[in-house]
Amino acid sequence: MQVIIFDNAQHVAENAAEWVAELINKKSKPVIGLATGSTPISLYQELVNKHKAGQLSFSNTTSFNLDEYLGIDEKNEQSYRHFMNHNLFDHVDIDKSNTFLPTCNQGENPRKQGLAYEDKISQAGGVDLQILGIGANGHIGFNEPTSSLASRTRIKTLTQQTLEDNSRLFSENEFQPTLAVTMGIATILDARYVLLMATGKNKAKSVNNMITGPLSAACPASALQLHENTIVLLDQEAASELADKEYYIWANKQNQKIHQEFGLYHNY
Ligand code: PGA
């Protein structure tokens, strides 16, 4: 894992936007994996700014989101489709017919929908760059602790901790879904690059578990230790429990020197 520590959350978002822009500007048909939650909102804002400044076009981009709630309609403001439209898709030139979420409408079999989603990702050529957040319990997507490290897109029951963490986004009498369809851990590991963003003190413990292990279903994000190209972008607070912080800062300086001499090279 390449661990990069920034002064603050805004710098995390700006750097993440550079990674996305590099992919989109480099590849003729980029495929990006997208995430919802509070963390990537500032990344999406950066991408919208770049688009409005004429620096970035999404016209050839295909996107696959990590997850979607089960039991609420796409039009519902709590749906992740609504989140993506509101935070990104409505403000850039992406063709919405090329934006996919693992949606499962009423009456559809979530198990079949999961397999169909996997097929769709394969048909698009696989995900080049997967954006991820991390839960305070170490989940990635909605792969909750004890999820199989070999899991594929499927229905998942949310844990009490996740429901409590997300309850801030629901008003008192609003229906809060307890089920979701999520890419599996193996689905995420298939992405060519993974870009995980984590900010804030409440992520420090799960970030440390993810990076220093053990590799365990108890911390689903630890599966990223098996991924060849994972970049972890942290603010100071999210990095605060890492014992080897100084090493990551030092290693990153060396990487920057290599980039300056030889240029960036990402094998998308
Ligand atoms: P957050 O969620 O960005 O809202 O903290 C991240 C996650 O649960 O994966």
Side-chain angles (χ1 to χ4, degrees), residues 70 104 108-117 153-155 181:
L70 207 67
C104 185
E108 287 176 337
N109 180 341
R111 295 212 157 82
K112 282 192 185 154
Q113 293 303 108
L115 293 175
Y117 200 62
T153 307
R154 72 214 180 288
I155 185 170
V181 178

Side-chain angles (χ1 to χ4, degrees), residues 38-130:
S38 307
T39 315
I41 290 177
S42 44
L43 160 64
Y44 299 145
Q45 190 57 56
E46 287 297 314
L47 294 176
V48 169
N49 291 345
K50 279 182 187 294
H51 172 69
K52 291 197 166 145
Q55 296 162 4
L56 195 57
S57 168
F58 292 79
S59 57
N60 294 323
T61 298
T62 299
S63 73
F64 289 93
N65 264 77
L66 281 169
D67 41 26
E68 177 61 285
Y69 283 127
L70 207 67
I72 54 175
D73 192 69
E74 283 198 340
K75 292 193 185 76
N76 186 310
E77 287 192 7
Q78 295 289 357
S79 75
Y80 286 163
R81 163 58 75 184
H82 182 272
F83 175 102
M84 290 311 306
N85 286 347
H86 179 72
N87 286 293
L88 183 65
F89 300 154
D90 283 345
H91 313 289
V92 296
D93 60 345
I94 200 161
D95 178 349
K96 278 199 192 150
S97 68
N98 292 330
T99 64
F100 301 99
L101 288 92
T103 306
C104 185
N105 297 315
Q106 212 171 3
E108 287 176 337
N109 180 341
R111 295 212 157 82
K112 282 192 185 154
Q113 293 303 108
L115 293 175
Y117 200 62
E118 294 277 333
D119 284 347
K120 226 178 269 173
I121 295 171
S122 298
Q123 280 159 21
V127 171
D128 292 309
L129 178 68
Q130 176 67 55

Side-chain angles (χ1 to χ4, degrees), residues 37-40 133-135 139 168 203:
S38 307
T39 315
I134 182 171
H139 74 198
R168 69 188 193 282
K203 301 296 172 66

Side-chain angles (χ1 to χ4, degrees), residues 154-199:
R154 72 214 180 288
I155 185 170
K156 196 71 199 165
T157 304
L158 309 187
T159 60
Q160 204 53 42
Q161 182 177 352
T162 296
L163 292 171
E164 279 164 22
D165 287 349
N166 289 351
S167 64
R168 69 188 193 282
L169 305 167
F170 292 81
S171 53
E172 207 178 324
N173 293 322
E174 200 174 13
F175 169 68
Q176 183 179 1
T178 56
L179 300 174
V181 178
T182 180
M183 280 191 198
I185 294 175
T187 320
I188 292 169
L189 293 179
D190 279 348
R192 292 180 186 90
Y193 283 78
V194 171
L195 190 66
L196 186 141
M197 306 167 69
T199 57

